[in-house]
Amino acid sequence: MGQIQLTGLTKRFGDTVAVDDLSLDIDDEEFLVLVGPSGCGKSTTLRMLAGLETPTSGDIYIGGDHMNYRVPQNRDIAMVFQDYALYPHMTVRQNIRFGLEEEEGYTSAERDERVVEVAETLGIADLLDRKPDELSGGQQQRVALGRAIVRDPEVFLMDEPLSNLDAKLRAEMRTELQNLQDQLAVTTVYVTHNQTEAMTMADRIAVMDGGELQQVASPFECYHEPNNLFVAEFIGEPMINLVRGTRSETAFVGEHFSYPLDADVMESVGDREDLVLGIRPEDIAVVDATTDDTPADDAALGDHELRMDVTVVEPHGDQNVLHLSHPDQPSADDALQAVTEGMHLVTRGDRVTVTIPPDKIHVFDAETGTAVHNRRHDQEADRTQLEQ
Ligand code: ATP
């Protein structure tokens, strides 16, 4: 069984704490993505799992067996790195077969058969007699995967395996890797700093920062129920809007606007004074202020409405990203970004009415970064909608 348990795992390099007291349970057959900015300790965690680094303290279990002192060959894992590390003088067949080198219990004919079987799974059976320099980047990546799969390990460890591919191929390989993992049902720990890969591939995402685990949850939860400001900012493109301010009796008070908070949100805020208000760009509604149904002056604005100016329009085809500032305050800290659909034509310089729906806001403690309130949603209903 390929379940993995990490308990209090710590790795120091001199004064640097690369991984700090990491405890994490990964289910058998789960696809877990370790994500975080450069230097957060992802690769070190993976290397400890692989047996390429020794933990300073803490324990690693795979399938219930203690792994700390086992050499990599005896851990029943296979690794795929960013650098495919194919042997240039060997054919594809020989490179894949090399993955079986250390395995016992195969006859030579069985090894050949297994190589062909794996090559067929990966759609590279017609390339078996080529050398790596006769292959495209995507094909080389498949050979590297083949070398890992051929051993039928309990666990795959992948460190940024797609980062050398161009954007289109990367998207294709993402889907292929997911299908393959489904088909092979092998526990996979996948390291990336790319949050799109994390969101689209993971059963669960483990977000790390400064060696510490910030949150481990489904992509849905990391996005809609972040534990803290770090996770909220790291997951989501364009980034969540974060506005610093303080609390009055009934409202969040920013530099340029005041935003009423519902009673239950105020209750969660408690006696905290310094707050950060968060709202995802796609949750902001934007209406052209010159249309008939918008209030003519600020006094007529609703509680959750603001008047703002469009400073930049980034067209992405299917959607536009609007940069919005408070009138005559283009560089204010509480400027916002909003996403509107591509057919919603807005131009730079337009004055718009912006609605921040109260059920979509997040509130964070400015001092600790902890989420005090996350957007409301009915997870079951949202999930059903996603599946339709
Ligand atoms: P990246 O995305 O850039 O690969 P990462 O999240 O994988 O980053 P790690 O490679 O795990 O980060 O590094 C975590 C920290 O440990 C960094 O501060 C790094 O400089 C340090 N570190 C890693 N390996 C060593 C080493 N062999 N000796 C000294 N410090 C190291």
Side-chain angles (χ1 to χ4, degrees), residues 309-337:
D309 290 341
V310 177
T311 52
V312 175
V313 179
E314 290 174 20
H316 291 255
D318 59 333
Q319 60 183 35
N320 294 318
V321 177
L322 308 183
H323 295 236
L324 304 163
S325 72
H326 299 280
D328 311 318
Q329 300 280 341
S331 60
D333 285 341
D334 50 2
L336 299 176
Q337 283 189 35

Side-chain angles (χ1 to χ4, degrees), residues 93 96 111-121 125 128:
R93 188 188 307 278
I96 297 180
R111 283 170 202 264
D112 289 342
E113 244 171 67
R114 177 82 186 126
V115 169
V116 172
E117 189 182 295
V118 164
E120 277 168 1
T121 308
L128 280 168

Side-chain angles (χ1 to χ4, degrees), residues 11-14 16-19 34-47 53 82 159-160 191-193 208 210-211:
K11 178 70 186 178
R12 289 175 204 276
F13 295 105
T16 307
V17 184
V19 177
L34 268 180
V35 72
S38 185
C40 74
K42 309 178 291 291
S43 298
T44 305
T45 303
L46 205 71
R47 289 172 60 78
E53 295 285 359
Q82 172 179 353
D159 196 349
E160 308 253 9
V191 160
T192 180
H193 62 267
M208 292 182 73

